[in-house]
Amino acid sequence: MHKGDWYLLEYFRIVGRHQNVSRAAEQLGTSQPAVSRGIARLESKLGVSLFERVGRSVSLTKKGRLFLQIVDRAHGEIEEAEGYLFGQSEPTSRIVALGFLRTLGTQLVPQVLRQFKEQFPKVTFSFSQNNTTRIEEQLDNGDLDLIFTAVPPHKPSLAWKRIVDQKLVLIAKRTHSLASKNLVRLRDLSSEPFVTFKTGHVVRTLTDQLCSAAGFVPTISFEGDDSSSIPGFVAAGFGIAIVPSDSNLPSSVVVLQTAGPLMRRQIGLVWVEERFMHSNAREFKTFVLNDRSVAEEN
């Protein structure tokens, strides 16, 4: 390919990432027809079809997916090398964009970062805390390098590996009658109002499953989407709740002793399998997946 046509590779890379010509054109700062002509020209030069048209969107062909993997890796390597060679940045200056669930910001993520920074003090991070759907979208769009989630992603482009199992515990207001009991059985809680997350949240799903196994459907007094609001409403007397064991609990809330352990939820690290990952993000990924102290402390 003539070097004057290298811009076609950037067109291809951005369209391949978005799977949508309109959004790619917006990011590239050009028109949709210009991008479409560029892709057609690249396909003509290569002699292969890179995309299949699906309505208003496009989908990478098998050869297109392979080519995107190569182009994306080459782009990342060149960009990283340019910054280093021309003094724009040092290898340690690349920021790791990390996303995670709000419920993981109390203990797990801070602990992992503390351990990592002890070995790599110059590596810096930017953070995004949100629900699973949102941070998966940010990862898929290239806004994040890595994310921590509680369930494996459904998109085949996203890789996931479990790093730790997080315990769930039952909490109540300190003055609640259950707080004085030495042992609490879930089957005895059918008349208790529950404070929990909105439908779709992993902890809500597990709460429903636990109650179902105990023979009842929980009566919900409050549904929230912020992990800090659940203990707050429990403290205000709205009911009991099932939360991750490392939740930040106010002094007016206690953990109840249950007959047998509650469920655990799996926490894993997610990344885009076929996308270039800069050296600092690769270093962090390797650390999280290989350092067993991450799991030992949780």
Side-chain angles (χ1 to χ4, degrees):
M1 180 179 294
H2 191 277
K3 66 180 180 180
D5 293 331
W6 284 2
Y7 75 96
L8 299 178
L9 297 178
E10 182 67 357
Y11 280 17
F12 167 69
R13 189 177 70 87
I14 301 302
V15 173
R17 173 171 294 182
H18 289 289
Q19 304 281 291
N20 185 285
V21 177
S22 297
R23 288 201 296 270
E26 183 178 351
Q27 180 177 336
L28 290 163
T30 187
S31 67
Q32 181 176 338
V35 174
S36 296
R37 288 194 298 270
I39 295 299
R41 181 175 178 181
L42 179 61
E43 289 178 324
S44 176
K45 284 180 173 291
L46 295 174
V48 297
S49 295
L50 300 172
F51 294 99
E52 295 174 342
R53 277 64 184 176
V54 183
R56 295 183 179 181
S57 299
V58 293
S59 176
L60 285 162
T61 62
K62 183 177 180 179
K63 290 184 178 179
R65 287 194 299 271
L66 176 61
F67 193 51
L68 178 61
Q69 182 178 355
I70 296 169
V71 170
D72 195 58
R73 183 180 295 113
H75 176 271
E77 296 284 2
I78 292 171
E79 186 180 58
E80 196 167 58
E82 282 181 341
Y84 176 62
L85 291 175
F86 296 103
Q88 297 170 355
S89 64
E90 297 181 6
T92 54
S93 70
R94 293 296 298 271
I95 296 173
V96 180
L98 181 65
F100 53 94
L101 301 177
R102 296 186 184 96
T103 53
L104 302 181
T106 303
Q107 182 174 330
L108 176 66
V109 173
Q111 282 186 354
V112 172
L113 289 173
R114 173 182 58 78
Q115 296 165 16
F116 179 77
K117 294 282 282 183
E118 287 175 355
Q119 297 185 33
F120 305 94
K122 292 185 178 181
V123 177
T124 57
F125 290 79
S126 64
F127 304 103
S128 176
Q129 292 178 264
N130 217 307
N131 58 43
T132 299
T133 300
R134 179 58 185 142
I135 59 176
E136 281 189 8
E137 288 176 352
Q138 291 177 292
L139 177 66
D140 205 31
N141 291 336
D143 299 324
L144 295 174
D145 297 311
L146 296 155
I147 62 174
F148 288 103
T149 67
V151 290
H154 298 297
K155 293 184 178 181
S157 61
L158 302 183
W160 183 91
K161 184 174 181 180
R162 185 188 70 82
I163 59 170
V164 68
D165 288 339
Q166 188 181 52
K167 298 177 183 177
L168 298 179
V169 295
L170 183 66
I171 63 172
K173 188 176 181 179
R174 188 174 294 276
T175 57
H176 196 289
S177 60
L178 291 171
S180 61
K181 292 183 177 294
N182 294 327
L183 198 64
V184 176
R185 292 179 174 82
L186 286 180
R187 66 172 179 265
D188 298 329
L189 303 178
S190 59
S191 61
E192 296 290 338
F194 275 74
V195 175
T196 187
F197 293 89
K198 292 180 178 178
T199 300
H201 193 286
V202 175
V203 176
R204 171 60 182 275
T205 300
L206 295 177
T207 296
D208 290 342
Q209 291 175 354
L210 283 167
C211 292
S212 177
F216 68 94
V217 176
T219 299
I220 308 300
S221 63
F222 172 81
E223 293 180 319
D225 55 13
D226 189 332
S227 59
S228 63
S229 66
I230 305 302
F233 273 79
V234 171
F238 280 77
I240 59 177
I242 293 174
V243 298
S245 58
D246 60 3
S247 298
N248 190 13
L249 304 179
S251 59
S252 56
V253 169
V254 294
V255 175
L256 304 178
Q257 296 300 313
T258 56
L262 296 181
M263 283 187 177
R264 296 169 179 260
R265 65 170 182 170
Q266 294 184 336
I267 305 300
L269 188 68
V270 186
W271 63 94
V272 180
E273 185 70 77
E274 298 180 350
R275 182 178 299 163
F276 170 81
M277 188 180 296
H278 63 80
S279 56
N280 283 347
R282 291 198 304 269
E283 199 74 63
F284 182 69
K285 173 190 167 188
T286 299
F287 173 85
V288 172
L289 297 184
N290 295 339
D291 194 326
R292 301 321 307 161
S293 64
V294 171
E296 290 170 1
E297 291 198 20
N298 291 276

